[in-house]
Amino acid sequence: VQTSGTKHWLVYPPVVEMPGEHQERGKSGDVITPDEVGAVLINATLHPGDAIYVPRGFVHATASGKSAGGASPDDEEVSVSLTVGIQTESMSLTWDKVLLCGL
């Protein structure tokens, strides 16, 4: 949720289809190259009160102020946003693990 200023978002398809916990790319030093991402799915600038939902695994990049192509090189707008995470796997019991138990 964008609370102050603006933030530009680029969202791409996931590199790993339907990633489970600890299968996300681009975390902990893992670098995703431009050759690995597909076409841009969302190219939008959020303003105060706007929200965006980015599912697990979807590659995304954000920029604000000068790095987002602000009105002038001296654009020092402060951008503040609130990120809310939803834990979808609890007690390590997920459908993929249930299916594995059935094999």
Side-chain angles (χ1 to χ4, degrees):
V1 178
Q2 190 67 29
T3 60
S4 176
T6 61
K7 184 175 287 183
H8 190 78
W9 284 78
L10 294 172
V11 181
Y12 303 87
V15 177
V16 176
E17 190 174 328
M18 303 277 298
E21 191 174 15
H22 306 297
Q23 288 182 308
E24 299 97 344
R25 293 285 318 277
K27 304 273 186 188
S28 303
D30 177 46
V31 177
I32 299 174
T33 65
D35 296 337
E36 293 179 89
V37 297
V40 174
L41 299 174
I42 298 173
N43 182 350
T45 299
L46 298 188
H47 300 273
D50 291 344
I52 187 170
Y53 172 69
V54 181
R56 173 188 284 166
F58 279 67
V59 179
H60 57 280
T62 63
S64 61
K66 287 187 279 190
S67 60
S72 74
D74 298 323
D75 186 5
E76 294 293 334
E77 176 185 55
V78 174
S79 176
V80 179
S81 58
L82 173 66
T83 301
V84 178
I86 300 172
Q87 182 65 31
T88 58
E89 298 176 9
S90 61
M91 298 175 51
S92 299
L93 183 60
T94 59
W95 283 112
D96 60 327
K97 291 176 185 170
V98 168
L99 291 174
L100 283 175
C101 290
L103 293 177

